[in-house]
Structures are given as C-alpha cells and as structure tokens.
Amino acid sequence: AVSRVQMALYGLRIGLAVFSADRCLLIHNRQFTELLGLPSGALKPGMPFTDMLQAMQGRDEYSGFDGDLFLAGQLGSDRTRPSSFRRQRATGQVIEVQSDPLADGGWTMAVSDVSALTRAEDEARRRAGLLDSIVQHIPHGVAVYGPDRRVRMVNADYARVMSGAPITVGETMEEVIRRRARTGEYGPGDPDAIYQAQMGFDTGIMQQRRRTRPNGTSIEVRTSPLPDGGHLSVVTDITPLVAAQDELNRRAEALDAMLAHIRHGVILWGPDQRIMACNPMAASAINAPPGLLVPGRTLEDMVQSSLLRGNLGAGTEAEAMAARLLSRDRSQSHQDQRLTRDGRVLEVRSDPVPDGGFVTTYTDVTSIREAEAALQAARTRAEADNTAKSGFLAAMSQELRAPLLQMIEGSRAVQRDAGDPAAARRAAAGIAGAGQHLLATLDTLLDLARLDVPDWVASCVRQADAAAAAAEIGLAVALHPGLPAVRGDARRLHQALAQVVAAAIQSTPPGGAATVRAFLAPDGADGLLVEVARSGATGAPSADADAGGGLALHLSRAVLRAHGGDIVLHACPGDGPMATLRLPSSRLIPAA
C-alpha cells in the first residue's frame, strides 16, 4: 500500500510533502523538490522543516529581500490553519505553496506551477483595468445590471447624462424605474401604468429608443443583454443632435415649400441620370403624365415620353432633338427654348451640381415673349405714327403759313393805305378773311385729334405712381368697359387730368388712397365723366388751397371748358373729396 501511495505521489504534476506534528518531513515527491529549487536528494524523510528552509536559504534564488521574506513567512506560518503563498522564481516561473493542517497536528504542503494561471490572471486584470478605464471615460452613461436585475456598476458619465435621476450600486431595476416613474422622468401620467410599461421592455434583446427628459434634454437609451443573464444600459445625451435634426427638417420643409410655390419647374438628377427630386411645377411645365416625374425614373424615360407625346416636334427633327438631349455633356451648362404643343414657350436650363448630377429648370416665358412682341409692335406703330405726324406737320405748315402771311400783308396794307379808307377797308376785310380761314383750320385740327380714354387715364396714373408711393398713398384705376374715344387736344387734356391727380395726392394724408374712374354719364345725360376720388381726407377740395395747386386746377378747368366741358369739385360722403372732369358728347367718338 505504501508503494502504491509513493507511485501516486510521483505521478502528480504538483509537488507534495507531508510533515509530522513534530515538524519533520514524512514523505515527499520529486516535483516538490524541483519546484522549490532544491537539488535532487536534498530532502530526506525525517528532515526537520527548519533544515529544509536552511537548505533553501543556501540557494541563490532565495537570496535577497524577496527570498528572505518568503522563507520568513514559511517559518512563521501557523500550520494549524490553511495558508497560501506565491513567489516568482529566478527563471520567471511562479509557484504557489499551499499548506493544509492534518488531524494529528502535522500538515501537508503542495507546490504548484501557477505561471500560466498567473499570466492569465494578470491579463484578465489588465483587460479589466482597460475596460474599466474605457467605461469610466466613454462619453456615455453606462449602467450594468446583473442576472438578479441589481445594479452592479455605473460610470461617472451616467450621473452627468441622467442628472436628477441617479442610481446606486446594489439597488434593483424595479426600484430605479418605480422611483423615476413617480418623479416624472418618463413623462406625465399614472406612475403605476408608466412603471408597468417600462418593465415591459425585454432586456434579453437589443433595444434602442429616444425620449425627452423633464429638464428638456433628449437622450437615447440602448439596452443589450450580457452573457451572464444581466444586461447593459447605455444612455447618451443627444440634445445637440436632435436640435440639428429639427433644424434640418425645418430647412427641408422650407425648401420644399419654396420649390412647391416658385414659378419654375425644377428636377434634380443624380450622377446616374435618375430623378432624385422634383417640384410640382416641373410636371405642369412639360405636361408630364402621372408617374413620369418620380424618383428613380431616368432621363431616357422622360425624353422618350416627350418624344412620343410630340413635345419635341415631329419626324426626323424630333428624333434628332431626343438624341441631342440624351448625348449632352451634363457637366456643362446648357440653355435653350422650346415651343410646346399648346403654344407655350419654355426656357430650359441644365446646370451641373457638385456630386456629378445636374439640375434642369423649366421657366414659362410665354408672357415675356408676348410682351416683347407687343413692345416691338408698339415701337413699330410709334415709328409709323411719328412718320405720319412729320408728314402731317409738313402738309399743314403751308395751310397755316398762307393765311398768316396774308394777315401780315394785309396789316402792312392798312398802314400803307391809312389815308385811303376804301383801300384800308379792303385790306381789313382780307385780314378778317385770313383769320377766319386760320380759325377754321385750327378748329379742324382740334376736332381731328383722337384721344383713347383708357390710354389717357393710364398714362396720367403712371406719371403719378412714384409720387403716390413716396407719400404712402394707394393709387387705383377703374375703367368702364367700352369707353369711346375723345376728339381734342391730347397734350392739354393729359396735362389737365395729370394736374387733378397730382392735386389729389398732395391733399391725401399717408395711408389714404386715390382712385381714378372713367365712365359715361349714368343719368342719361350725354358726356364722359372722369372722377378723381380720395379716401382718408376730409372736406371738399379747394381750388385756392395753395398757389400752385389752385393755379393748376384753374388751368385744368380752362382746358376742359375750352373743350366744351368743365371740372366740378365736391365732397362725396364715404369716399372723401372728389373732382369730376366732364367732356360733352360732341367730343366723343363711339367705340368700334
């Protein structure tokens, strides 16, 4: 039996020795001697424990302070109690010496090579220290819950992010959530209902949610299960991120609103020539069918649709246009005009954007082109009128010069023949005849001058626009349809009406308004009436309000009376003071 025990001892990987109650070595194995750094055969049964320590002290690896400390610890150890010591040998090997008491007063000593275990423990401590440093310095609040749902660890940043809602190591998740529900951390409502809702989240799966705290900060809460059955809770202050997202959303909404209401059609294309975004005006500009201008559709889709619908023309010309549109270098800007099937003129621009895509802009310039054409036609008419006027003046000059020369010659004859009454009377009769002829010619010229009433009124109002705007006075025009034209001195009539409008603006306080109305007399009387009414002013207008205004109104009244009409000034309840210009029916040319 003893031999079997010895064989078992020699087969162990650890060093083992048994000491008696009188502190002498009873039995040991080879590994015990080797792990203590003693030479083979240095230990014998019956050897006192102190002799073994002396043998070890004689070895170089036990020299120095650490060796003395280890041997002193072994010598003074209470062998009636279990003990354990570790030391590192000169070779770098780490041994662990364990002592356990025996019932007879002796003890056993076990020496193990724990180098690998020590290295593993050191690595574990290093990693734990590194992990703890990361957790403590990460810019997120971290709380670790164990399988029993108790807080095991919480870092310093958690207290910063969750200011006003602290947690402590050792308390349960139920306690934390119930306390926070009572203090309104999860928002208003019944605390018990809120507690049940929060406890309903499954911490066994990864989750992520956002909420706004009572102090106004926004946080993101992420939970993740741990291998031991616990879970990790990470909270992040995302207030700046939420504010930035809100600002981006606000800008996006403003941009969408702007694009939806501008008068240009806009399409944004990606580098792959696919639609990324567009506004409703783009579809209206090209009469696109539903589903054509949506994100993902290609430029080729749009060009082919336009070709099939006849928006690019017809025949080979349309095919050539489609080919040009598809082959264009979109890294360069392009601009052209197209005539749609419904007669509209579109200005089309293509401009590159930094990501390799481009923007197509459609602008309906039909009204601009019509205005340009109308302006050119008006310019042509004006040139023709100027030519006609020059010819008319040239033709009339002789008609005016002849009677004037006759009158001058007659005047000389009267002076020359003053002593001959009969000759003087003949000369005077010639002068009178020439004057009558000249008056008839002037009357004919006055009667032949045609004045368009809408143009007359609009021209006078345009002339007063700047003064009205500077005085903060509104200026409006109201014209009855089908107004006749007027025969008269256009320049003098224009001056007369312009002076009345200017006087109305001068006598109207800021914030008031002036309105020019033209209509036929409604009471059956013949004639044209042009009213200049003011609002915001009190009292009837006075022709003697000031020297300049009074003289201007007197001159205007004189022009109207010379045409057979008049100007009446009166107060109109509700509308303010008013001036009415009247021209008789004899001056009217019925509308065509």
Side-chain angles (χ1 to χ4, degrees):
V2 174
S3 62
R4 286 197 296 271
V5 172
Q6 288 179 339
M7 290 179 61
L9 289 176
Y10 277 97
L12 292 175
R13 293 184 179 180
I14 64 173
L16 184 63
V18 180
F19 291 86
S20 64
D22 59 357
R23 302 176 71 85
C24 291
L25 180 63
L26 294 178
I27 188 174
H28 70 286
N29 63 358
R30 176 175 54 82
Q31 287 81 358
F32 184 81
T33 304
E34 292 177 355
L35 290 174
L36 288 179
L38 295 172
S40 178
L43 301 180
K44 304 292 183 181
M47 184 177 188
F49 181 63
T50 54
D51 291 350
M52 186 188 78
L53 294 179
Q54 289 176 356
M56 294 169 63
Q57 191 174 21
R59 307 290 295 179
D60 289 339
E61 68 175 279
Y62 290 99
S63 62
F65 177 77
D66 289 340
D68 292 342
L69 186 62
F70 174 74
L71 294 175
Q74 290 296 318
L75 181 63
S77 177
D78 182 4
R79 299 302 173 176
T80 64
R81 295 181 179 181
S83 62
S84 178
F85 298 90
R86 281 190 183 183
R87 78 175 301 270
Q88 184 173 358
R89 299 181 60 188
T91 60
Q93 184 183 36
V94 180
I95 61 172
E96 183 177 64
V97 181
Q98 294 176 309
S99 175
D100 293 288
L102 294 175
D104 62 357
W107 75 91
T108 63
M109 289 186 68
V111 185
S112 307
D113 183 352
V114 293
S115 302
L117 176 61
T118 301
R119 288 193 295 271
E121 290 175 345
D122 291 343
E123 178 64 17
R125 281 192 293 270
R126 186 189 67 80
R127 290 185 178 182
L130 178 61
L131 179 61
D132 184 66
S133 177
I134 293 174
V135 170
Q136 293 300 329
H137 292 88
I138 193 172
H140 305 275
V142 179
V144 179
Y145 290 84
D148 57 355
R149 291 195 168 189
R150 288 186 178 275
V151 180
R152 286 187 173 180
M153 188 274 291
V154 60
N155 70 346
D157 225 43
Y158 192 95
R160 178 188 64 80
V161 177
M162 297 300 296
S163 175
I167 61 175
T168 57
V169 174
E171 64 179 339
T172 64
M173 186 174 73
E174 290 80 359
E175 293 171 339
V176 173
I177 292 178
R178 192 174 293 279
R179 181 175 66 248
R180 290 179 174 177
R182 288 196 303 268
T183 58
E185 176 65 28
Y186 303 109
D190 178 41
D192 292 333
I194 293 175
Y195 168 79
Q196 294 297 332
Q198 292 295 319
M199 290 298 295
F201 289 113
D202 185 1
T203 58
I205 59 174
M206 294 185 65
Q207 294 192 35
Q208 180 175 330
R209 54 190 180 275
R210 292 182 175 184
R211 62 183 172 89
T212 301
R213 300 194 61 221
N215 62 4
T217 61
S218 298
I219 61 172
E220 184 177 72
V221 182
R222 285 168 289 176
T223 59
S224 179
L226 296 175
D228 64 356
H231 71 278
L232 186 71
S233 177
V234 180
V235 293
T236 306
D237 186 347
I238 58 170
T239 305
L241 175 62
V242 171
Q245 289 176 340
D246 290 343
E247 178 63 17
L248 286 176
N249 292 336
R250 187 191 66 78
R251 292 185 180 183
E253 290 173 358
L255 181 60
D256 289 342
M258 180 187 70
L259 290 176
H261 293 87
I262 62 174
R263 68 182 187 91
H264 305 278
V266 181
I267 304 177
L268 174 62
W269 303 87
D272 56 356
Q273 294 194 347
R274 291 183 179 273
I275 295 176
M276 298 180 65
C278 66
N279 67 345
M281 188 59 71
S284 175
I286 64 173
N287 291 325
L292 177 62
L293 298 187
V294 296
R297 295 300 294 267
T298 65
L299 176 64
E300 184 175 3
D301 294 337
M302 193 182 78
V303 171
Q304 290 300 325
S305 174
S306 297
L307 180 62
L308 293 175
R309 289 182 290 114
N311 281 352
L312 302 182
T316 57
E317 182 179 349
E319 294 285 350
M321 170 64 79
R324 285 197 301 272
L325 293 176
L326 292 175
S327 62
R328 272 183 175 171
D329 180 7
R330 298 296 175 171
S331 65
Q332 303 294 323
S333 294
H334 302 277
Q335 178 176 342
D336 56 24
Q337 288 188 0
R338 301 176 196 168
L339 182 64
T340 65
R341 294 182 62 185
D342 55 4
R344 293 178 297 117
V345 181
L346 291 182
E347 182 178 84
V348 185
R349 285 188 58 90
S350 175
D351 296 287
V353 294
D355 68 351
F358 59 97
V359 173
T360 303
T361 307
Y362 299 90
T363 305
D364 189 336
V365 295
T366 306
S367 59
I368 297 176
R369 297 298 173 263
E370 290 175 348
E372 290 176 350
L375 181 61
Q376 181 59 42
R379 184 181 294 112
T380 301
R381 288 196 301 271
E383 291 173 352
D385 291 344
N386 186 59
T387 301
K389 180 187 70 174
S390 299
F392 172 77
L393 292 177
M396 292 303 300
S397 63
Q398 184 62 32
E399 295 291 333
L400 296 175
R401 287 170 60 87
L404 286 174
L405 291 174
Q406 186 177 355
M407 293 170 65
I408 293 171
E409 184 58 33
S411 176
R412 291 174 178 171
V414 169
Q415 294 176 355
R416 183 177 63 249
D417 301 329
D420 186 352
R425 284 196 296 273
R426 286 194 299 273
I431 294 174
Q436 291 293 332
H437 177 71
L438 181 60
L439 178 60
T441 301
L442 291 176
D443 285 341
T444 302
L445 290 177
L446 187 61
D447 288 340
L448 289 177
R450 177 189 177 96
L451 177 62
D452 184 75
V453 173
D455 290 346
W456 173 34
V457 174
S459 176
C460 292
V461 170
R462 281 196 303 271
Q463 182 176 331
D465 271 343
E472 300 181 2
I473 296 170
L475 188 57
V477 176
L479 300 177
H480 191 279
L483 291 174
V486 173
R487 279 193 298 265
D489 189 333
R491 184 170 64 87
R492 298 299 182 189
L493 288 174
H494 177 90
Q495 289 175 345
L497 180 57
Q499 287 168 351
V500 173
V501 173
I505 292 173
Q506 290 174 2
S507 59
T508 302
T515 303
V516 181
R517 293 189 288 266
F519 55 94
L520 293 175
D523 57 358
D526 294 336
L528 174 73
L529 301 181
V530 180
E531 292 181 348
V532 181
R534 299 173 293 168
S535 62
T538 58
S542 172
D544 300 321
D546 59 77
L551 178 60
L553 289 174
H554 280 304
L555 292 176
S556 298
R557 178 178 283 125
V559 170
L560 266 294
R561 287 177 176 175
H563 285 75
D566 201 353
I567 296 180
V568 179
L569 305 177
H570 54 86
C572 184
D575 288 338
M578 183 169 61
T580 303
L581 288 73
R582 185 184 65 82
L583 287 170
S585 59
S586 60
R587 290 289 178 181
L588 304 184
I589 303 174

